[in-house]
């Protein structure tokens, strides 16, 4: 059994939390190799080598991998990947982009959003918005697995893996990178933040969302939003938490003006502590909340911010 983890790297910058938690899941089966493919890998490979349970870091530096295009992985690294029995990647936009392309070329299924590794061929994953757990057994020679990283802790930085450079003839005749538009912020990244403050339809407008952002900044938190708030134009798409957004499991999740539809709960119900603020005492969010405050958010949130 040989296990490979695809490290998530963009322009030389390692998504350390996502990669470390994916290593944690993969290490359930034994020691792992980690593939570090980017335009510059020196810092990323050094950090990966310190991760516990990593045996080898395979380094491939090539401009083709600067933006982690799926076609670059499948066209260039297919033979390397196919020499392993298990390939893990985080269930992020990176993993959801790369693994299906590899699976299509090798004619194997992708076992997506895995929340628990039971054995080398059996895995658990949530279905029906997290209301049921499906057990999947694969008979494919190669298992392609995307990991729900919110279910795992990062591995300690106590390792000393070997760093090995590999050579592959770069090939991607199908796609060309044009432009990447990203919002820059000093706040923590939503999926890895320890505290998240989210607003819903009850916030009322894009201007009113500044109340949510103010409390988040006081708490050093990331800002999230329900789908209703995003669809109404109150918040950008990359803030969306839920079944069709991002899955988070912070130490503290503060839901402000969010009713608690099942689609939203699927993205945050594994949070350690959930605080709900809503003027409707019948709101479903209170059924999963550890602490609930029935009050007008426009009165409650500024008062909480002052006391923080």
């Amino acid at each position: 059994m040989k296990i490979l983890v695809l490290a998530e790297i963009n322009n030389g910058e390692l998504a350390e939390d996502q990669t470390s938690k994916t290593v944690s899941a993969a290490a359930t089966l034994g020691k792992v190799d980690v593939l570090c493919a980017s335009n510059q890998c020196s810092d990323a490979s050094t950090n990966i080598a310190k991760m516990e349970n990593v045996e080898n870091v395979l380094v491939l530096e090539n401009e083709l991998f600067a933006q982690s295009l799926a076609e670059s992985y499948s066209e260039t690294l297919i033979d390397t990947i196919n020499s392993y029995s298990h390939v893990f990647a985080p269930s992020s936009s990176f993993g959801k982009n790369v693994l299906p392309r590899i699976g299509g070329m090798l004619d194997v299924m992708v076992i997506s959003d895995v929340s628990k590794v039971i054995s080398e061929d059996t895995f658990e994953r949530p279905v029906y918005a997290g209301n049921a757990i499906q057990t999947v057994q694969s008979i494919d020679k190669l298992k392609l697995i995307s990991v729900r990283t919110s279910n795992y802790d990062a591995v300690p930085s106590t390792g000393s893996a070997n760093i090995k450079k590999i050579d592959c003839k770069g090939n991607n005749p199908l796609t060309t990178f044009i432009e990447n538009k990203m919002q820059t912020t000093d706040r923590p990244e939503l999926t890895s933040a320890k505290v998240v403050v989210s607003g819903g339809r009850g916030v009322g407008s894009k201007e009113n969302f500044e109340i949510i952002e103010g409390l988040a900044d006081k708490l050093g938190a990331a800002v999230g939003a329900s789908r209703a708030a995003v669809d109404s134009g109150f918040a950008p798409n990359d803030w969306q938490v839920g079944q069709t957004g991002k899955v988070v499991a912070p130490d503290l999740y503060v839901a402000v003006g969010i009713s608690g539809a099942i689609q939203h709960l699927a993205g945050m119900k594994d949070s350690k502590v959930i605080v709900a603020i809503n003027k409707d005492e019948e709101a479903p969010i209170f059924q999963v909340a550890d602490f609930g405050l029935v009050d007008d958010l426009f009165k409650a949130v500024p008062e909480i911010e002052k006391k923080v």
Side-chain angles (χ1 to χ4, degrees), residues 197-204 209 211-212 215 224-229 234 253-261 264 275-280 283 285-286 293 295-298 300-301:
V197 180
S198 284
R201 193 198 305 272
V203 177
F209 229 83
I211 296 175
I212 306 298
L215 178 59
S226 68
R227 178 170 179 172
F234 302 167
Y253 187 88
V254 183
V256 182
I258 295 174
S259 63
H264 185 75
V275 175
I277 303 171
N278 200 302
K279 65 181 180 182
D280 178 10
I285 190 71
F286 289 122
L293 175 61
D295 202 348
D296 183 347
L297 70 90
F298 297 106
V301 174

Side-chain angles (χ1 to χ4, degrees), residues 7-272:
E8 181 172 351
I9 306 170
N10 279 303
N11 267 329
E13 186 174 343
L14 174 67
E16 190 163 352
D17 188 69
Q18 295 275 31
T19 302
S20 182
K21 289 179 178 180
T22 304
V23 169
S24 180
T28 306
L29 299 176
K31 294 285 187 179
V32 306
D33 292 348
V34 179
L35 176 61
C36 177
S38 185
N39 57 331
Q40 45 187 321
C41 294
S42 55
D43 291 341
S45 60
T46 300
N47 290 335
I48 294 168
K50 295 176 183 177
M51 294 180 184
E52 193 174 273
N53 294 315
V54 175
E55 195 165 37
N56 298 296
V57 182
L58 309 180
V59 175
L60 176 60
E61 287 189 326
N62 193 303
E63 284 297 326
L64 277 175
F65 296 97
Q67 303 298 328
S68 297
L69 297 178
E71 292 80 4
S72 298
Y73 277 81
S74 59
E75 298 292 331
T76 301
L77 294 164
I78 200 72
D79 290 336
T80 300
I81 289 168
N82 199 30
S83 66
Y84 286 83
S85 61
H86 296 72
V87 176
F88 287 79
S91 189
S92 58
S93 55
F94 164 73
K96 291 175 182 177
N97 186 29
V98 171
L99 290 183
R101 173 88 189 171
I102 295 169
M105 293 191 70
L106 296 176
D107 194 25
V108 297
M109 69 181 287
V110 177
I111 307 168
S112 59
D113 216 21
V114 165
S115 56
K116 184 178 181 181
V117 178
I118 297 175
S119 69
E120 63 183 66
D121 64 353
T122 308
F123 311 89
E124 286 184 357
R125 64 182 178 189
V127 292
Y128 302 124
N131 285 301
I133 300 297
Q134 182 183 63
T135 302
V136 181
Q137 187 171 40
S138 171
I139 60 172
D140 286 333
K141 180 182 176 182
L142 171 63
K143 278 79 172 174
L144 298 177
I145 302 143
S146 69
V147 177
R148 178 175 281 210
T149 52
S150 61
N151 283 59
Y152 289 89
D153 294 324
V155 294
S157 298
T158 55
S160 55
N162 301 313
I163 299 177
K164 300 179 178 179
K165 289 198 172 185
I166 61 173
D167 292 320
C168 292
K169 188 177 180 181
N171 187 30
N172 181 0
L174 302 173
T175 58
T176 303
F177 174 72
I178 302 297
E179 185 182 13
N180 195 4
K181 291 184 178 179
M182 298 180 66
Q183 289 187 326
T184 56
T185 176
D186 293 331
R187 297 187 185 111
E189 205 279 321
L190 183 56
T191 54
S192 60
K194 293 189 180 300
V195 181
V196 174
V197 180
S198 284
R201 193 198 305 272
V203 177
S205 70
K206 184 176 182 180
E207 291 70 30
N208 289 344
F209 229 83
E210 292 178 3
I211 296 175
I212 306 298
E213 296 180 61
L215 178 59
D217 291 340
K218 271 292 185 72
L219 294 173
V223 179
S226 68
R227 178 170 179 172
V230 171
D231 287 348
S232 299
F234 302 167
N237 288 334
D238 58 347
W239 289 4
Q240 185 177 325
V241 174
Q243 186 179 9
T244 54
K246 295 178 178 177
V247 177
V248 300
D251 294 336
L252 173 63
Y253 187 88
V254 183
V256 182
I258 295 174
S259 63
I262 193 169
Q263 291 86 353
H264 185 75
L265 298 184
M268 47 64 72
K269 67 180 182 180
D270 290 329
S271 304
K272 306 296 186 298

